[in-house]
Amino acid sequence: MNDESYKWKGIIAYLFSFVGGLIIYFTEDRNYTLKFHAMQSTVFGLIVAVLKVLCRAIPFVGWIIFDFVKIIWIIFVVIGAVNAAQNRPYRFPVIGEIADAAEKLIG
C-alpha cells in the first residue's frame, strides 16, 4: 500500500474518531504508526463521547462545558490528523498511554 493511502486512513481515523479508528485499526496490518493513531483516535473518541453525555446531564453549566469539549475535540483532531498524515507517532497527553495499553490488551 502506498504512503498516500496511509495518509488518508490516518485522517479518516481522526475525523470519524471512535468508529473510524476501530475500522482502520482492525483493517490495517502493516503500518504500526497508523495502527497507533487509529487506536488513539478510538480512545479519544470514546472519552469525548462520555464527556458529552456527562455534560448534557448537567443543566446550563454542562452546555458551556460541552462547547469547551467540542473546541478541544477539534484541536486534537487537527493535531492528530496532521501527524497521522505525516506518519509521525504523536501521542496525546494521557490518551496516548491509554491507547498503548488498549492496543496491548487487544493484541
Side-chain angles (χ1 to χ4, degrees), residues 30-44:
R30 295 183 182 153
N31 189 325
Y32 171 77
T33 304
L34 179 59
K35 282 184 76 98
F36 171 76
H37 279 292
M39 182 55 70
Q40 182 168 255
S41 71
T42 300
V43 169
F44 181 63

Side-chain angles (χ1 to χ4, degrees), residues 9-54:
K9 283 182 177 183
I11 292 170
I12 288 169
Y14 280 103
L15 287 178
F16 298 101
S17 294
F18 182 71
V19 175
L22 280 178
I23 291 170
I24 300 299
Y25 181 81
F26 286 115
T27 59
E28 180 58 42
D29 59 347
R30 295 183 182 153
N31 189 325
Y32 171 77
T33 304
L34 179 59
K35 282 184 76 98
F36 171 76
H37 279 292
M39 182 55 70
Q40 182 168 255
S41 71
T42 300
V43 169
F44 181 63
L46 186 61
I47 290 171
V48 168
V50 169
L51 287 174
K52 285 180 180 180
V53 169
L54 292 175

